Amino acid sequence: MKPLEEAWQKEGEGKKSFLLSGSCDKEGQVPHLKRWEEIKLLSSKGSLNFHSGLVGEKEAEKIGSLASVVSFDFIVDQETIENVYGLGVSPQSYISSYRYLKKYAKVVPHLCIGLNKGEIKGEHKALEILKEEGAEALSFIVFRPTKNTDFATFPPPPLEEVAKLIAKARTMFPTSPIYLGCMRPGGRYRGELDTLALRAGVNKIVHPSPPARKMAEELGLVVTRGEECCSL
């Protein structure tokens, strides 16, 4: 991650695209509008993927004027919103933000499987709501225990449950691209997850493990390699 002022200056030269992310405030919002002139300068250098937080319609419209795509964390479990994000908002805030963003931009909702201490809480409900709202594409990421965090000692979600959720999404969204994003555990877990996700019908895997690459070849799949964020 680079500071915005570096990205639109020398650091951004020769880049094809940029992921605009950052910490959110106590309302769950990423303050894009406060840096809007710099973001406009950055948009002249490459495509922009906005990793937005919660938004109102005004901000959604502004983001839509520059975004090639918006990556939006879609969470509809109240316990997860309170205990993981520490926010005093409701699931409706996420649904409303998603609707605003969809009105003005291409949006890829991101579902983090096991976000709440490695347990699946609300992910199935999120799929059901997205089915009603519509989704051009879906991106799955998976909880990864991280050192020096409150959830460092909790294990990632069971592989079987993760695979079932992805397979369910494939049946619910038969024509929408489904991605397995960059944030997921490594090691043996990743190798098994990637192959299961491939069998479940994902269309794109970020940094696929060797077992997944081998399986793709054995299945005779057409493999296209890219160097962009999964949402682009």
Side-chain angles (χ1 to χ4, degrees), residues 156-200:
L159 279 164
E160 183 178 333
E161 296 302 312
V162 175
K164 285 181 179 179
L165 189 71
I166 296 174
K168 179 179 180 178
R170 179 74 287 165
T171 61
M172 292 176 70
F173 300 88
T175 61
S176 299
I178 296 179
Y179 314 140
L180 185 59
C182 56
M183 196 194 89
R184 59 191 194 277
R188 180 179 295 179
Y189 186 102
R190 175 171 290 211
E192 294 184 27
L193 169 61
D194 290 4
T195 55
L196 287 170
L198 197 61
R199 289 189 177 279

Side-chain angles (χ1 to χ4, degrees), residues 26 69 85 99 111 136 161 169:
K26 293 181 180 179
V69 68
Y85 279 64
R99 288 173 179 168
L111 274 66
E136 291 186 57
E161 296 302 312

Side-chain angles (χ1 to χ4, degrees), residues 143 145-146 149-155:
F143 168 72
T146 304
T149 67
D150 291 342
F151 294 170
T153 60
F154 292 96

Side-chain angles (χ1 to χ4, degrees), residues 50-71:
F50 280 80
H51 186 191
S52 79
L54 299 178
V55 298
E57 185 162 8
K58 177 184 176 182
E59 184 173 10
E61 184 175 11
K62 292 278 281 188
I63 288 173
S65 69
L66 294 181
S68 294
V69 68
V70 176
S71 296

Side-chain angles (χ1 to χ4, degrees), residues 4-231:
L4 183 57
E5 54 269 21
E6 290 184 21
W8 65 260
Q9 295 177 5
K10 188 175 180 180
E11 281 289 335
E13 295 300 331
K15 303 296 190 297
K16 294 187 298 182
S17 61
F18 301 89
L19 170 63
L20 278 167
S21 189
S23 57
C24 60
D25 60 22
K26 293 181 180 179
E27 304 301 321
Q29 301 174 341
V30 179
H32 292 113
L33 298 188
K34 292 183 179 179
R35 308 291 295 275
W36 197 247
E37 292 307 312
E38 292 166 278
I39 292 173
K40 285 172 67 176
L41 287 170
L42 188 63
S43 69
S44 67
K45 294 181 178 292
S47 301
L48 299 185
N49 175 4
F50 280 80
H51 186 191
S52 79
L54 299 178
V55 298
E57 185 162 8
K58 177 184 176 182
E59 184 173 10
E61 184 175 11
K62 292 278 281 188
I63 288 173
S65 69
L66 294 181
S68 294
V69 68
V70 176
S71 296
F72 181 70
D73 296 330
F74 193 76
I75 307 165
V76 294
D77 179 68
Q78 187 67 50
E79 180 184 329
T80 301
I81 293 171
E82 293 176 1
N83 294 349
V84 180
Y85 279 64
L87 299 177
V89 301
S90 70
Q92 187 58 47
S93 297
Y94 285 87
I95 297 170
S96 297
S97 294
Y98 181 63
R99 288 173 179 168
Y100 288 140
L101 289 165
K102 277 189 71 211
K103 184 176 179 180
Y104 298 103
K106 175 185 176 182
V107 185
V108 177
H110 283 48
L111 274 66
C112 184
I113 304 174
L115 177 60
N116 195 344
K117 300 178 181 178
E119 299 179 18
I120 294 178
K121 291 178 176 286
E123 287 87 333
H124 289 279
K125 182 179 179 182
L127 285 179
E128 292 166 6
I129 294 174
L130 286 172
K131 181 65 175 178
E132 296 176 2
E133 298 292 330
E136 291 186 57
L138 288 169
S139 182
F140 285 102
I141 52 180
V142 182
F143 168 72
R144 180 178 64 193
T146 304
K147 290 182 179 180
N148 301 318
T149 67
D150 291 342
F151 294 170
T153 60
F154 292 96
L159 279 164
E160 183 178 333
E161 296 302 312
V162 175
K164 285 181 179 179
L165 189 71
I166 296 174
K168 179 179 180 178
R170 179 74 287 165
T171 61
M172 292 176 70
F173 300 88
T175 61
S176 299
I178 296 179
Y179 314 140
L180 185 59
C182 56
M183 196 194 89
R184 59 191 194 277
R188 180 179 295 179
Y189 186 102
R190 175 171 290 211
E192 294 184 27
L193 169 61
D194 290 4
T195 55
L196 287 170
L198 197 61
R199 289 189 177 279
V202 299
N203 303 96
K204 187 186 296 185
I205 300 178
V206 179
H207 299 307
S209 61
R213 294 198 296 268
K214 181 180 179 181
M215 177 178 285
E217 293 176 2
E218 292 173 348
L219 294 174
L221 300 177
V222 176
V223 177
T224 302
R225 293 175 172 82
E227 296 182 356
E228 299 280 3
C229 179
C230 68
S231 295

